[in-house]
Amino acid sequence: MQGKLPDDVLIDDPQAIRDVSSDHDREQSGSFPEIVLMPECIDQVSTIMEWADDLRIPVYTRGSGTGMGHLSDIGKPGVLLLTDRLNRIVEINSEGHYARVQAGVINADINKAIRRYGLYYAPDPASSTLSTIGGNIATNAGGFKCAKYGVTRDSLLSLKVVLPGGDVIDTGRPVMKNVAGLDLTSLFTGSEGQLGIIVEATIRLRPIVHGTSHAIVFLDSLEESGNAVSAVLRAPVQPTALEFMPVPYIQTYPDAYVPLVGDASWMLVATTDGWAKEHDLDVITKAWEEQGLTVARPTDEELETFFVLRKTGKARPEGRVWSIESDAAVPLDRFSELLIFIKELTQDLGASLFLLAHAGDGNVHVSIMLPRADGETELPDRLVQARRRLLNQVLDMDGTVTGEHGVGLELKDYLPRQLGERNLELQRTIRRVFDPHDILNPGKWLA
């Protein structure tokens, strides 16, 4: 490989490998790669993939490393391909309502670049100021506005992908409708680096909406919270977002809200947008008031103060604990039921609970925690069993074990039950067509 690429693309010093690998993985565990590769252009990615396929060398691809679930852990000796330098916004077509961006572009930087055209890119994961578009595509990331605008897949028009062997393909065209051939854009989206290296995306842009409006209620229990969510889901309007979270454990919000918050443990926020935003919010407000809830209508700036800890990744107090995590999702009509199950599961364990939810699309982010005693080195079995109970309950509800974080290593054992053995074998067969030598992120759920 040396001689085929510029010197600064290939990192082979052991300490430099450890440093850069750790910088690009919030969940650093397991082995480090033999080599780190930081290509500057698509041709270099093609060269890398041709070389790796010829020599049967595993390739693990990673963006900024904000993902969860150990999606790109190094399982076999191989190379780590980082997309940092593939960070160009190649084209903004304001009349065509699309942009072409390379995989290493930070999600939030897209909207900074296109705002002057009166356009925006809808997917907005909580990590948008850190995560890359390539990583968002690899996991089909969601975010706050999924209830109305969908997940990453719903804003993709085409992908440019480098396959094992070095071939480069485009999966679509920059058009809003396209039924020519199979939908490879959707196939690569959420594939977690197991089918090809996504190097560029053509993304759909939308006109900036005419403002947003918000309503917020503070709630004492998960039962009351579930009822408040159900009231919005029954209302004849579509909120842009419906976000559920604990009241911040540190007061980051204005003093004027202190009496309204009181002793409440939870909060639920509905957001509407566009020209009908006030009408739609009036409908939601009426639904809540009919339940006897007091509704506040914060400004954009006031609401943002409630989300400060959540968006910085510091939403829960730090402590020495064991924790199990889940980002499961259930049908909307089962959401309230899931909240009660999680409450009872936590109480049975005598554990602490941290819970966030994109309630508008049925996606919960759960942490169930037990104190970690001195000398303990392994996750307590009762937490392992609690995770199993939670995920099996989600599947019993016709839900999914992951809504937006991906399968990786931690959830692969649940796929036969969720997908069915025949479905899963078909997916593995597809993977062998794209990657016959099993070099792309080997050992994960499609292996």
Side-chain angles (χ1 to χ4, degrees), residues 100-336:
R100 290 193 297 129
V101 299
Q102 291 185 327
V105 173
I106 299 296
N107 180 298
D109 289 345
I110 297 171
N111 281 320
K112 291 178 184 177
I114 63 178
R115 179 170 294 277
R116 67 180 183 273
Y117 300 101
L119 300 170
Y120 82 110
Y121 175 62
D124 62 336
S127 61
S128 62
T129 59
L130 301 171
S131 61
T132 62
I133 190 68
N136 292 171
I137 295 167
T139 60
N140 193 25
F144 296 112
K145 300 175 185 174
C146 291
K148 185 171 184 178
Y149 295 109
V151 292
T152 296
R153 178 181 285 119
D154 299 303
S155 290
L156 295 178
L157 303 177
S158 181
L159 300 174
K160 189 179 292 292
V161 181
V162 181
L163 302 174
D167 290 340
V168 182
I169 65 169
D170 290 290
T171 64
R173 296 291 179 92
V175 294
M176 299 301 160
K177 292 181 177 179
N178 184 0
V179 293
L182 298 178
D183 186 1
L184 293 188
T185 303
S186 291
L187 180 63
F188 279 101
T189 305
S191 61
E192 300 179 20
Q194 297 175 94
L195 300 179
I197 309 297
I198 297 167
V199 291
E200 185 179 290
T202 303
I203 58 175
R204 179 181 179 180
L205 308 180
R206 303 171 188 267
I208 292 176
V209 295
H210 183 72
T212 55
S213 294
H214 315 282
I216 184 171
V217 287
F218 299 96
L219 305 149
D220 295 328
S221 68
L222 289 179
E223 289 88 350
E224 186 180 38
S225 301
N227 291 336
V229 171
S230 295
V232 178
L233 296 177
R234 289 193 297 266
V237 294
Q238 176 61 69
T240 307
L242 186 61
E243 293 296 306
F244 177 68
M245 59 185 281
V247 172
Y249 68 95
I250 296 174
Q251 186 194 330
T252 54
Y253 46 88
D255 289 342
Y257 283 86
V258 171
L260 186 58
V261 171
D263 296 326
S265 300
W266 306 99
M267 53 182 282
L268 183 63
V269 180
T271 296
T272 56
D273 65 10
W275 294 102
K277 61 183 182 297
E278 294 299 336
H279 167 271
D280 291 349
L281 205 64
D282 286 343
V283 173
I284 293 171
T285 297
K286 181 180 178 182
W288 279 341
E289 289 177 341
E290 288 176 350
Q291 290 188 317
L293 298 173
T294 300
V295 184
R297 302 276 284 255
T299 64
D300 289 351
E301 293 75 16
E302 289 172 338
L303 182 64
E304 193 66 22
T305 65
F306 284 96
F307 281 84
V308 167
L309 295 177
R310 180 170 178 178
K311 290 186 176 182
T312 58
K314 300 177 181 178
R316 75 184 193 195
E318 294 182 359
R320 186 173 171 80
V321 297
W322 290 109
S323 176
I324 56 169
E325 319 284 340
S326 174
D327 83 311
V330 293
L332 296 180
D333 62 309
R334 308 297 294 271
F335 183 80
S336 298

